[in-house]
Amino acid sequence: MPKSLIIANWKCNPSTLAQAKALFAKINQGVARQKKSKIVVCPPPVFLGFFTQKPGKIFLGAQDAFWQEGPFTGESSFNMLKSIGCKYAIVGHSERRKRGESDKEVNNKIKAALSVGIAPVLCVGETFTERENQKTPIVLRKQIQEGLTGVAKGRVGEVIIAYEPVWAIGTGNPCRPEEAMSMKIFIKKFLSQNYGKNISSKTKVLYGGSAKAANAGEYVIEAGMDGLLVGGASLKAKEFLEILKKI
Ligand code: PGA
């Protein structure tokens, strides 16, 4: 049985380096003996470089990165991330898409991540209105298709897809596990039709959106999601470690 992939997305938290180090240390200590999951922590970019030493069981991930280097004030490149030991990068999170990130930019980032050997975590998901208007399949198809444009077929399976319904993120109103499962099936079918069965079965599909200890088992064990992308609940070490125990 492959390990579940559990990714902690700290977003723009916590406020200080001391708090970030304390949170990381508690998680690191807590995961020392667990074997069922692969754990990735994505701290804010300014703290990333502090966690490169002996990460132990925790893999380091970025919340975003830029696809080029040079005169791009404020950005960090995938190469830079790689040089400090980052193995994963979230790409196209809805909180970035909401502020203008396009599918084209997401696509550039995915290609740049793959080119240096960082596994991109492509976030896809519909808004509440899109859902109400039965637009979910159209939205997902577009985000995946455009996100993967130009990616060599043989490498598509390295892209991790996180189904994150926008209306469920940070709301405490998670998507029903059956619904997440049907989205995973939809995504796999789409990949199978476009890239072949092999790629489809290789691709991990995670769930994200108000995931916590109380529902983690429903997504991973019952609904068969390949893992979770956890925001709010990853900021409390106890709750995050509890998630790992439930799956
Ligand atoms: P949440 O965030 O767990 O706080 O809903 C998930 C995410 O945005 O990845």
Side-chain angles (χ1 to χ4, degrees), residues 155-182:
R155 304 211 57 191
V156 168
E158 291 169 53
V159 179
I160 296 150
I161 298 184
Y163 171 60
E164 295 213 301
V166 181
W167 48 269
I169 295 177
T171 58
N173 173 32
C175 162
R176 285 184 302 117
E178 311 86 81
E179 221 175 308
M181 177 163 55
S182 70

mmCIF file with all atom_site columns, all heavy atoms in Angstrom, residues 155-182:
data_model
loop_
_atom_site.group_PDB
_atom_site.id
_atom_site.type_symbol
_atom_site.label_atom_id
_atom_site.label_alt_id
_atom_site.label_comp_id
_atom_site.label_asym_id
_atom_site.label_entity_id
_atom_site.label_seq_id
_atom_site.pdbx_PDB_ins_code
_atom_site.Cartn_x
_atom_site.Cartn_y
_atom_site.Cartn_z
_atom_site.occupancy
_atom_site.B_iso_or_equiv
_atom_site.pdbx_formal_charge
_atom_site.auth_seq_id
_atom_site.auth_comp_id
_atom_site.auth_asym_id
_atom_site.auth_atom_id
_atom_site.pdbx_PDB_model_num
ATOM 1   N N   . ARG A 1 155 ? 6.133   12.713 -17.966 1.00 0.00 ? 155 ARG A N   1
ATOM 2   C CA  . ARG A 1 155 ? 6.373   13.364 -16.672 1.00 0.00 ? 155 ARG A CA  1
ATOM 3   C C   . ARG A 1 155 ? 5.091   13.814 -15.980 1.00 0.00 ? 155 ARG A C   1
ATOM 4   O O   . ARG A 1 155 ? 5.131   14.305 -14.850 1.00 0.00 ? 155 ARG A O   1
ATOM 5   C CB  . ARG A 1 155 ? 7.309   14.554 -16.884 1.00 0.00 ? 155 ARG A CB  1
ATOM 6   C CG  . ARG A 1 155 ? 8.606   14.087 -17.552 1.00 0.00 ? 155 ARG A CG  1
ATOM 7   C CD  . ARG A 1 155 ? 9.785   14.882 -17.165 1.00 0.00 ? 155 ARG A CD  1
ATOM 8   N NE  . ARG A 1 155 ? 10.042  14.913 -15.746 1.00 0.00 ? 155 ARG A NE  1
ATOM 9   C CZ  . ARG A 1 155 ? 10.912  15.732 -15.184 1.00 0.00 ? 155 ARG A CZ  1
ATOM 10  N NH1 . ARG A 1 155 ? 11.586  16.571 -15.926 1.00 0.00 ? 155 ARG A NH1 1
ATOM 11  N NH2 . ARG A 1 155 ? 11.109  15.723 -13.882 1.00 0.00 ? 155 ARG A NH2 1
ATOM 12  N N   . VAL A 1 156 ? 3.991   13.641 -16.679 1.00 0.00 ? 156 VAL A N   1
ATOM 13  C CA  . VAL A 1 156 ? 2.717   14.089 -16.093 1.00 0.00 ? 156 VAL A CA  1
ATOM 14  C C   . VAL A 1 156 ? 2.441   13.383 -14.760 1.00 0.00 ? 156 VAL A C   1
ATOM 15  O O   . VAL A 1 156 ? 1.929   13.980 -13.817 1.00 0.00 ? 156 VAL A O   1
ATOM 16  C CB  . VAL A 1 156 ? 1.554   13.879 -17.103 1.00 0.00 ? 156 VAL A CB  1
ATOM 17  C CG1 . VAL A 1 156 ? 0.191   14.052 -16.445 1.00 0.00 ? 156 VAL A CG1 1
ATOM 18  C CG2 . VAL A 1 156 ? 1.688   14.845 -18.271 1.00 0.00 ? 156 VAL A CG2 1
ATOM 19  N N   . GLY A 1 157 ? 2.842   12.130 -14.677 1.00 0.00 ? 157 GLY A N   1
ATOM 20  C CA  . GLY A 1 157 ? 2.604   11.359 -13.452 1.00 0.00 ? 157 GLY A CA  1
ATOM 21  C C   . GLY A 1 157 ? 3.357   11.888 -12.231 1.00 0.00 ? 157 GLY A C   1
ATOM 22  O O   . GLY A 1 157 ? 3.073   11.502 -11.104 1.00 0.00 ? 157 GLY A O   1
ATOM 23  N N   . GLU A 1 158 ? 4.323   12.781 -12.455 1.00 0.00 ? 158 GLU A N   1
ATOM 24  C CA  . GLU A 1 158 ? 5.064   13.368 -11.326 1.00 0.00 ? 158 GLU A CA  1
ATOM 25  C C   . GLU A 1 158 ? 4.316   14.552 -10.723 1.00 0.00 ? 158 GLU A C   1
ATOM 26  O O   . GLU A 1 158 ? 4.670   15.040 -9.658  1.00 0.00 ? 158 GLU A O   1
ATOM 27  C CB  . GLU A 1 158 ? 6.443   13.859 -11.803 1.00 0.00 ? 158 GLU A CB  1
ATOM 28  C CG  . GLU A 1 158 ? 7.382   12.742 -12.190 1.00 0.00 ? 158 GLU A CG  1
ATOM 29  C CD  . GLU A 1 158 ? 8.624   13.276 -12.893 1.00 0.00 ? 158 GLU A CD  1
ATOM 30  O OE1 . GLU A 1 158 ? 9.298   14.169 -12.359 1.00 0.00 ? 158 GLU A OE1 1
ATOM 31  O OE2 . GLU A 1 158 ? 8.908   12.798 -14.011 1.00 0.00 ? 158 GLU A OE2 1
ATOM 32  N N   . VAL A 1 159 ? 3.313   15.029 -11.468 1.00 0.00 ? 159 VAL A N   1
ATOM 33  C CA  . VAL A 1 159 ? 2.527   16.163 -10.960 1.00 0.00 ? 159 VAL A CA  1
ATOM 34  C C   . VAL A 1 159 ? 1.485   15.621 -9.995  1.00 0.00 ? 159 VAL A C   1
ATOM 35  O O   . VAL A 1 159 ? 0.742   14.692 -10.320 1.00 0.00 ? 159 VAL A O   1
ATOM 36  C CB  . VAL A 1 159 ? 1.843   16.920 -12.132 1.00 0.00 ? 159 VAL A CB  1
ATOM 37  C CG1 . VAL A 1 159 ? 1.007   18.089 -11.609 1.00 0.00 ? 159 VAL A CG1 1
ATOM 38  C CG2 . VAL A 1 159 ? 2.876   17.397 -13.146 1.00 0.00 ? 159 VAL A CG2 1
ATOM 39  N N   . ILE A 1 160 ? 1.457   16.186 -8.812  1.00 0.00 ? 160 ILE A N   1
ATOM 40  C CA  . ILE A 1 160 ? 0.456   15.782 -7.817  1.00 0.00 ? 160 ILE A CA  1
ATOM 41  C C   . ILE A 1 160 ? -0.716  16.744 -7.976  1.00 0.00 ? 160 ILE A C   1
ATOM 42  O O   . ILE A 1 160 ? -0.507  17.957 -8.108  1.00 0.00 ? 160 ILE A O   1
ATOM 43  C CB  . ILE A 1 160 ? 1.064   15.883 -6.400  1.00 0.00 ? 160 ILE A CB  1
ATOM 44  C CG1 . ILE A 1 160 ? 2.217   14.885 -6.275  1.00 0.00 ? 160 ILE A CG1 1
ATOM 45  C CG2 . ILE A 1 160 ? 0.008   15.653 -5.323  1.00 0.00 ? 160 ILE A CG2 1
ATOM 46  C CD1 . ILE A 1 160 ? 3.289   15.323 -5.317  1.00 0.00 ? 160 ILE A CD1 1
ATOM 47  N N   . ILE A 1 161 ? -1.913  16.203 -7.992  1.00 0.00 ? 161 ILE A N   1
ATOM 48  C CA  . ILE A 1 161 ? -3.070  17.094 -8.140  1.00 0.00 ? 161 ILE A CA  1
ATOM 49  C C   . ILE A 1 161 ? -3.818  17.163 -6.809  1.00 0.00 ? 161 ILE A C   1
ATOM 50  O O   . ILE A 1 161 ? -4.114  16.135 -6.199  1.00 0.00 ? 161 ILE A O   1
ATOM 51  C CB  . ILE A 1 161 ? -3.992  16.605 -9.283  1.00 0.00 ? 161 ILE A CB  1
ATOM 52  C CG1 . ILE A 1 161 ? -3.194  16.641 -10.601 1.00 0.00 ? 161 ILE A CG1 1
ATOM 53  C CG2 . ILE A 1 161 ? -5.250  17.483 -9.370  1.00 0.00 ? 161 ILE A CG2 1
ATOM 54  C CD1 . ILE A 1 161 ? -3.966  16.285 -11.837 1.00 0.00 ? 161 ILE A CD1 1
ATOM 55  N N   . ALA A 1 162 ? -4.063  18.393 -6.357  1.00 0.00 ? 162 ALA A N   1
ATOM 56  C CA  . ALA A 1 162 ? -4.836  18.561 -5.115  1.00 0.00 ? 162 ALA A CA  1
ATOM 57  C C   . ALA A 1 162 ? -6.198  19.125 -5.475  1.00 0.00 ? 162 ALA A C   1
ATOM 58  O O   . ALA A 1 162 ? -6.297  20.239 -6.007  1.00 0.00 ? 162 ALA A O   1
ATOM 59  C CB  . ALA A 1 162 ? -4.103  19.502 -4.162  1.00 0.00 ? 162 ALA A CB  1
ATOM 60  N N   . TYR A 1 163 ? -7.232  18.315 -5.213  1.00 0.00 ? 163 TYR A N   1
ATOM 61  C CA  . TYR A 1 163 ? -8.592  18.821 -5.423  1.00 0.00 ? 163 TYR A CA  1
ATOM 62  C C   . TYR A 1 163 ? -8.977  19.634 -4.190  1.00 0.00 ? 163 TYR A C   1
ATOM 63  O O   . TYR A 1 163 ? -9.105  19.082 -3.093  1.00 0.00 ? 163 TYR A O   1
ATOM 64  C CB  . TYR A 1 163 ? -9.586  17.671 -5.655  1.00 0.00 ? 163 TYR A CB  1
ATOM 65  C CG  . TYR A 1 163 ? -11.013 18.192 -5.647  1.00 0.00 ? 163 TYR A CG  1
ATOM 66  C CD1 . TYR A 1 163 ? -11.417 19.153 -6.576  1.00 0.00 ? 163 TYR A CD1 1
ATOM 67  C CD2 . TYR A 1 163 ? -11.931 17.779 -4.686  1.00 0.00 ? 163 TYR A CD2 1
ATOM 68  C CE1 . TYR A 1 163 ? -12.701 19.678 -6.548  1.00 0.00 ? 163 TYR A CE1 1
ATOM 69  C CE2 . TYR A 1 163 ? -13.216 18.287 -4.656  1.00 0.00 ? 163 TYR A CE2 1
ATOM 70  C CZ  . TYR A 1 163 ? -13.595 19.245 -5.589  1.00 0.00 ? 163 TYR A CZ  1
ATOM 71  O OH  . TYR A 1 163 ? -14.855 19.780 -5.555  1.00 0.00 ? 163 TYR A OH  1
ATOM 72  N N   . GLU A 1 164 ? -9.095  20.939 -4.397  1.00 0.00 ? 164 GLU A N   1
ATOM 73  C CA  . GLU A 1 164 ? -9.397  21.838 -3.283  1.00 0.00 ? 164 GLU A CA  1
ATOM 74  C C   . GLU A 1 164 ? -10.585 22.725 -3.652  1.00 0.00 ? 164 GLU A C   1
ATOM 75  O O   . GLU A 1 164 ? -10.405 23.813 -4.238  1.00 0.00 ? 164 GLU A O   1
ATOM 76  C CB  . GLU A 1 164 ? -8.196  22.736 -2.997  1.00 0.00 ? 164 GLU A CB  1
ATOM 77  C CG  . GLU A 1 164 ? -6.975  22.015 -2.511  1.00 0.00 ? 164 GLU A CG  1
ATOM 78  C CD  . GLU A 1 164 ? -6.192  22.891 -1.539  1.00 0.00 ? 164 GLU A CD  1
ATOM 79  O OE1 . GLU A 1 164 ? -5.775  23.984 -1.932  1.00 0.00 ? 164 GLU A OE1 1
ATOM 80  O OE2 . GLU A 1 164 ? -6.044  22.492 -0.381  1.00 0.00 ? 164 GLU A OE2 1
ATOM 81  N N   . PRO A 1 165 ? -11.799 22.277 -3.334  1.00 0.00 ? 165 PRO A N   1
ATOM 82  C CA  . PRO A 1 165 ? -12.945 23.137 -3.644  1.00 0.00 ? 165 PRO A CA  1
ATOM 83  C C   . PRO A 1 165 ? -12.802 24.460 -2.888  1.00 0.00 ? 165 PRO A C   1
ATOM 84  O O   . PRO A 1 165 ? -12.589 24.463 -1.679  1.00 0.00 ? 165 PRO A O   1
ATOM 85  C CB  . PRO A 1 165 ? -14.150 22.328 -3.153  1.00 0.00 ? 165 PRO A CB  1
ATOM 86  C CG  . PRO A 1 165 ? -13.605 21.250 -2.284  1.00 0.00 ? 165 PRO A CG  1
ATOM 87  C CD  . PRO A 1 165 ? -12.171 21.053 -2.636  1.00 0.00 ? 165 PRO A CD  1
ATOM 88  N N   . VAL A 1 166 ? -12.882 25.561 -3.619  1.00 0.00 ? 166 VAL A N   1
ATOM 89  C CA  . VAL A 1 166 ? -12.585 26.871 -3.028  1.00 0.00 ? 166 VAL A CA  1
ATOM 90  C C   . VAL A 1 166 ? -13.516 27.165 -1.843  1.00 0.00 ? 166 VAL A C   1
ATOM 91  O O   . VAL A 1 166 ? -13.100 27.713 -0.824  1.00 0.00 ? 166 VAL A O   1
ATOM 92  C CB  . VAL A 1 166 ? -12.684 27.977 -4.109  1.00 0.00 ? 166 VAL A CB  1
ATOM 93  C CG1 . VAL A 1 166 ? -12.364 29.351 -3.530  1.00 0.00 ? 166 VAL A CG1 1
ATOM 94  C CG2 . VAL A 1 166 ? -11.721 27.666 -5.265  1.00 0.00 ? 166 VAL A CG2 1
ATOM 95  N N   . TRP A 1 167 ? -14.759 26.730 -1.963  1.00 0.00 ? 167 TRP A N   1
ATOM 96  C CA  . TRP A 1 167 ? -15.757 27.005 -0.917  1.00 0.00 ? 167 TRP A CA  1
ATOM 97  C C   . TRP A 1 167 ? -15.474 26.229 0.369   1.00 0.00 ? 167 TRP A C   1
ATOM 98  O O   . TRP A 1 167 ? -16.057 26.512 1.412   1.00 0.00 ? 167 TRP A O   1
ATOM 99  C CB  . TRP A 1 167 ? -17.170 26.687 -1.433  1.00 0.00 ? 167 TRP A CB  1
ATOM 100 C CG  . TRP A 1 167 ? -17.272 25.343 -2.106  1.00 0.00 ? 167 TRP A CG  1
ATOM 101 C CD1 . TRP A 1 167 ? -17.088 25.099 -3.429  1.00 0.00 ? 167 TRP A CD1 1
ATOM 102 C CD2 . TRP A 1 167 ? -17.526 24.081 -1.494  1.00 0.00 ? 167 TRP A CD2 1
ATOM 103 N NE1 . TRP A 1 167 ? -17.216 23.761 -3.684  1.00 0.00 ? 167 TRP A NE1 1
ATOM 104 C CE2 . TRP A 1 167 ? -17.491 23.106 -2.519  1.00 0.00 ? 167 TRP A CE2 1
ATOM 105 C CE3 . TRP A 1 167 ? -17.803 23.673 -0.187  1.00 0.00 ? 167 TRP A CE3 1
ATOM 106 C CZ2 . TRP A 1 167 ? -17.710 21.751 -2.272  1.00 0.00 ? 167 TRP A CZ2 1
ATOM 107 C CZ3 . TRP A 1 167 ? -18.018 22.323 0.057   1.00 0.00 ? 167 TRP A CZ3 1
ATOM 108 C CH2 . TRP A 1 167 ? -17.965 21.380 -0.978  1.00 0.00 ? 167 TRP A CH2 1
ATOM 109 N N   . ALA A 1 168 ? -14.589 25.259 0.299   1.00 0.00 ? 168 ALA A N   1
ATOM 110 C CA  . ALA A 1 168 ? -14.294 24.449 1.495   1.00 0.00 ? 168 ALA A CA  1
ATOM 111 C C   . ALA A 1 168 ? -13.015 24.900 2.198   1.00 0.00 ? 168 ALA A C   1
ATOM 112 O O   . ALA A 1 168 ? -12.719 24.457 3.299   1.00 0.00 ? 168 ALA A O   1
ATOM 113 C CB  . ALA A 1 168 ? -14.164 22.979 1.094   1.00 0.00 ? 168 ALA A CB  1
ATOM 114 N N   . ILE A 1 169 ? -12.256 25.775 1.544   1.00 0.00 ? 169 ILE A N   1
ATOM 115 C CA  . ILE A 1 169 ? -10.956 26.169 2.104   1.00 0.00 ? 169 ILE A CA  1
ATOM 116 C C   . ILE A 1 169 ? -11.129 27.200 3.217   1.00 0.00 ? 169 ILE A C   1
ATOM 117 O O   . ILE A 1 169 ? -11.722 28.264 3.010   1.00 0.00 ? 169 ILE A O   1
ATOM 118 C CB  . ILE A 1 169 ? -10.033 26.720 0.997   1.00 0.00 ? 169 ILE A CB  1
ATOM 119 C CG1 . ILE A 1 169 ? -9.699  25.616 -0.001  1.00 0.00 ? 169 ILE A CG1 1
ATOM 120 C CG2 . ILE A 1 169 ? -8.755  27.312 1.593   1.00 0.00 ? 169 ILE A CG2 1
ATOM 121 C CD1 . ILE A 1 169 ? -8.857  26.048 -1.174  1.00 0.00 ? 169 ILE A CD1 1
ATOM 122 N N   . GLY A 1 170 ? -10.629 26.856 4.378   1.00 0.00 ? 170 GLY A N   1
ATOM 123 C CA  . GLY A 1 170 ? -10.637 27.787 5.504   1.00 0.00 ? 170 GLY A CA  1
ATOM 124 C C   . GLY A 1 170 ? -12.019 28.121 6.029   1.00 0.00 ? 170 GLY A C   1
ATOM 125 O O   . GLY A 1 170 ? -12.189 29.093 6.767   1.00 0.00 ? 170 GLY A O   1
ATOM 126 N N   . THR A 1 171 ? -13.014 27.338 5.651   1.00 0.00 ? 171 THR A N   1
ATOM 127 C CA  . THR A 1 171 ? -14.381 27.671 6.045   1.00 0.00 ? 171 THR A CA  1
ATOM 128 C C   . THR A 1 171 ? -14.913 26.773 7.156   1.00 0.00 ? 171 THR A C   1
ATOM 129 O O   . THR A 1 171 ? -15.965 27.048 7.729   1.00 0.00 ? 171 THR A O   1
ATOM 130 C CB  . THR A 1 171 ? -15.342 27.505 4.836   1.00 0.00 ? 171 THR A CB  1
ATOM 131 O OG1 . THR A 1 171 ? -15.240 26.145 4.366   1.00 0.00 ? 171 THR A OG1 1
ATOM 132 C CG2 . THR A 1 171 ? -14.988 28.457 3.713   1.00 0.00 ? 171 THR A CG2 1
ATOM 133 N N   . GLY A 1 172 ? -14.224 25.677 7.407   1.00 0.00 ? 172 GLY A N   1
ATOM 134 C CA  . GLY A 1 172 ? -14.751 24.708 8.371   1.00 0.00 ? 172 GLY A CA  1
ATOM 135 C C   . GLY A 1 172 ? -15.919 23.935 7.774   1.00 0.00 ? 172 GLY A C   1
ATOM 136 O O   . GLY A 1 172 ? -16.634 23.207 8.457   1.00 0.00 ? 172 GLY A O   1
ATOM 137 N N   . ASN A 1 173 ? -16.113 24.099 6.469   1.00 0.00 ? 173 ASN A N   1
ATOM 138 C CA  . ASN A 1 173 ? -17.220 23.446 5.777   1.00 0.00 ? 173 ASN A CA  1
ATOM 139 C C   . ASN A 1 173 ? -16.642 22.526 4.698   1.00 0.00 ? 173 ASN A C   1
ATOM 140 O O   . ASN A 1 173 ? -16.609 22.873 3.526   1.00 0.00 ? 173 ASN A O   1
ATOM 141 C CB  . ASN A 1 173 ? -18.096 24.562 5.164   1.00 0.00 ? 173 ASN A CB  1
ATOM 142 C CG  . ASN A 1 173 ? -19.191 24.033 4.281   1.00 0.00 ? 173 ASN A CG  1
ATOM 143 O OD1 . ASN A 1 173 ? -19.726 22.941 4.520   1.00 0.00 ? 173 ASN A OD1 1
ATOM 144 N ND2 . ASN A 1 173 ? -19.529 24.786 3.242   1.00 0.00 ? 173 ASN A ND2 1
ATOM 145 N N   . PRO A 1 174 ? -16.120 21.362 5.101   1.00 0.00 ? 174 PRO A N   1
ATOM 146 C CA  . PRO A 1 174 ? -15.430 20.516 4.128   1.00 0.00 ? 174 PRO A CA  1
ATOM 147 C C   . PRO A 1 174 ? -16.378 19.866 3.125   1.00 0.00 ? 174 PRO A C   1
ATOM 148 O O   . PRO A 1 174 ? -17.589 19.779 3.357   1.00 0.00 ? 174 PRO A O   1
ATOM 149 C CB  . PRO A 1 174 ? -14.772 19.453 4.998   1.00 0.00 ? 174 PRO A CB  1
ATOM 150 C CG  . PRO A 1 174 ? -15.563 19.415 6.249   1.00 0.00 ? 174 PRO A CG  1
ATOM 151 C CD  . PRO A 1 174 ? -16.193 20.760 6.433   1.00 0.00 ? 174 PRO A CD  1
ATOM 152 N N   . CYS A 1 175 ? -15.801 19.445 2.055   1.00 0.00 ? 175 CYS A N   1
ATOM 153 C CA  . CYS A 1 175 ? -16.539 18.752 1.003   1.00 0.00 ? 175 CYS A CA  1
ATOM 154 C C   . CYS A 1 175 ? -16.861 17.342 1.505   1.00 0.00 ? 175 CYS A C   1
ATOM 155 O O   . CYS A 1 175 ? -16.059 16.743 2.225   1.00 0.00 ? 175 CYS A O   1
ATOM 156 C CB  . CYS A 1 175 ? -15.579 18.738 -0.173  1.00 0.00 ? 175 CYS A CB  1
ATOM 157 S SG  . CYS A 1 175 ? -15.857 17.621 -1.486  1.00 0.00 ? 175 CYS A SG  1
ATOM 158 N N   . ARG A 1 176 ? -18.001 16.794 1.149   1.00 0.00 ? 176 ARG A N   1
ATOM 159 C CA  . ARG A 1 176 ? -18.323 15.429 1.597   1.00 0.00 ? 176 ARG A CA  1
ATOM 160 C C   . ARG A 1 176 ? -17.304 14.461 0.991   1.00 0.00 ? 176 ARG A C   1
ATOM 161 O O   . ARG A 1 176 ? -16.933 14.595 -0.178  1.00 0.00 ? 176 ARG A O   1
ATOM 162 C CB  . ARG A 1 176 ? -19.736 15.046 1.167   1.00 0.00 ? 176 ARG A CB  1
ATOM 163 C CG  . ARG A 1 176 ? -20.822 15.724 2.022   1.00 0.00 ? 176 ARG A CG  1
ATOM 164 C CD  . ARG A 1 176 ? -22.210 15.271 1.645   1.00 0.00 ? 176 ARG A CD  1
ATOM 165 N NE  . ARG A 1 176 ? -22.493 15.540 0.234   1.00 0.00 ? 176 ARG A NE  1
ATOM 166 C CZ  . ARG A 1 176 ? -22.731 14.617 -0.677  1.00 0.00 ? 176 ARG A CZ  1
ATOM 167 N NH1 . ARG A 1 176 ? -22.773 13.343 -0.348  1.00 0.00 ? 176 ARG A NH1 1
ATOM 168 N NH2 . ARG A 1 176 ? -22.967 14.947 -1.921  1.00 0.00 ? 176 ARG A NH2 1
ATOM 169 N N   . PRO A 1 177 ? -16.855 13.475 1.762   1.00 0.00 ? 177 PRO A N   1
ATOM 170 C CA  . PRO A 1 177 ? -15.840 12.545 1.253   1.00 0.00 ? 177 PRO A CA  1
ATOM 171 C C   . PRO A 1 177 ? -16.268 11.863 -0.062  1.00 0.00 ? 177 PRO A C   1
ATOM 172 O O   . PRO A 1 177 ? -15.448 11.670 -0.952  1.00 0.00 ? 177 PRO A O   1
ATOM 173 C CB  . PRO A 1 177 ? -15.696 11.522 2.379   1.00 0.00 ? 177 PRO A CB  1
ATOM 174 C CG  . PRO A 1 177 ? -16.115 12.252 3.605   1.00 0.00 ? 177 PRO A CG  1
ATOM 175 C CD  . PRO A 1 177 ? -17.166 13.228 3.187   1.00 0.00 ? 177 PRO A CD  1
ATOM 176 N N   . GLU A 1 178 ? -17.566 11.546 -0.202  1.00 0.00 ? 178 GLU A N   1
ATOM 177 C CA  . GLU A 1 178 ? -18.025 10.890 -1.445  1.00 0.00 ? 178 GLU A CA  1
ATOM 178 C C   . GLU A 1 178 ? -17.814 11.818 -2.636  1.00 0.00 ? 178 GLU A C   1
ATOM 179 O O   . GLU A 1 178 ? -17.516 11.390 -3.746  1.00 0.00 ? 178 GLU A O   1
ATOM 180 C CB  . GLU A 1 178 ? -19.519 10.528 -1.408  1.00 0.00 ? 178 GLU A CB  1
ATOM 181 C CG  . GLU A 1 178 ? -19.988 9.819  -0.184  1.00 0.00 ? 178 GLU A CG  1
ATOM 182 C CD  . GLU A 1 178 ? -20.351 10.805 0.923   1.00 0.00 ? 178 GLU A CD  1
ATOM 183 O OE1 . GLU A 1 178 ? -21.447 11.369 0.918   1.00 0.00 ? 178 GLU A OE1 1
ATOM 184 O OE2 . GLU A 1 178 ? -19.492 10.988 1.814   1.00 0.00 ? 178 GLU A OE2 1
ATOM 185 N N   . GLU A 1 179 ? -18.003 13.113 -2.364  1.00 0.00 ? 179 GLU A N   1
ATOM 186 C CA  . GLU A 1 179 ? -17.837 14.085 -3.440  1.00 0.00 ? 179 GLU A CA  1
ATOM 187 C C   . GLU A 1 179 ? -16.351 14.188 -3.833  1.00 0.00 ? 179 GLU A C   1
ATOM 188 O O   . GLU A 1 179 ? -16.014 14.250 -5.018  1.00 0.00 ? 179 GLU A O   1
ATOM 189 C CB  . GLU A 1 179 ? -18.327 15.441 -2.939  1.00 0.00 ? 179 GLU A CB  1
ATOM 190 C CG  . GLU A 1 179 ? -19.117 16.207 -3.965  1.00 0.00 ? 179 GLU A CG  1
ATOM 191 C CD  . GLU A 1 179 ? -19.680 17.480 -3.373  1.00 0.00 ? 179 GLU A CD  1
ATOM 192 O OE1 . GLU A 1 179 ? -20.335 17.413 -2.300  1.00 0.00 ? 179 GLU A OE1 1
ATOM 193 O OE2 . GLU A 1 179 ? -19.452 18.528 -3.961  1.00 0.00 ? 179 GLU A OE2 1
ATOM 194 N N   . ALA A 1 180 ? -15.491 14.194 -2.811  1.00 0.00 ? 180 ALA A N   1
ATOM 195 C CA  . ALA A 1 180 ? -14.050 14.251 -3.085  1.00 0.00 ? 180 ALA A CA  1
ATOM 196 C C   . ALA A 1 180 ? -13.650 13.014 -3.888  1.00 0.00 ? 180 ALA A C   1
ATOM 197 O O   . ALA A 1 180 ? -12.889 13.094 -4.861  1.00 0.00 ? 180 ALA A O   1
ATOM 198 C CB  . ALA A 1 180 ? -13.272 14.314 -1.772  1.00 0.00 ? 180 ALA A CB  1
ATOM 199 N N   . MET A 1 181 ? -14.219 11.864 -3.503  1.00 0.00 ? 181 MET A N   1
ATOM 200 C CA  . MET A 1 181 ? -13.896 10.625 -4.206  1.00 0.00 ? 181 MET A CA  1
ATOM 201 C C   . MET A 1 181 ? -14.361 10.706 -5.666  1.00 0.00 ? 181 MET A C   1
ATOM 202 O O   . MET A 1 181 ? -13.646 10.303 -6.577  1.00 0.00 ? 181 MET A O   1
ATOM 203 C CB  . MET A 1 181 ? -14.557 9.439  -3.512  1.00 0.00 ? 181 MET A CB  1
ATOM 204 C CG  . MET A 1 181 ? -14.330 8.133  -4.236  1.00 0.00 ? 181 MET A CG  1
ATOM 205 S SD  . MET A 1 181 ? -14.667 6.672  -3.230  1.00 0.00 ? 181 MET A SD  1
ATOM 206 C CE  . MET A 1 181 ? -16.304 6.936  -2.674  1.00 0.00 ? 181 MET A CE  1
ATOM 207 N N   . SER A 1 182 ? -15.540 11.272 -5.892  1.00 0.00 ? 182 SER A N   1
ATOM 208 C CA  . SER A 1 182 ? -16.012 11.322 -7.274  1.00 0.00 ? 182 SER A CA  1
ATOM 209 C C   . SER A 1 182 ? -15.166 12.297 -8.095  1.00 0.00 ? 182 SER A C   1
ATOM 210 O O   . SER A 1 182 ? -14.954 12.101 -9.290  1.00 0.00 ? 182 SER A O   1
ATOM 211 C CB  . SER A 1 182 ? -17.510 11.627 -7.366  1.00 0.00 ? 182 SER A CB  1
ATOM 212 O OG  . SER A 1 182 ? -17.746 12.941 -6.989  1.00 0.00 ? 182 SER A OG  1
#
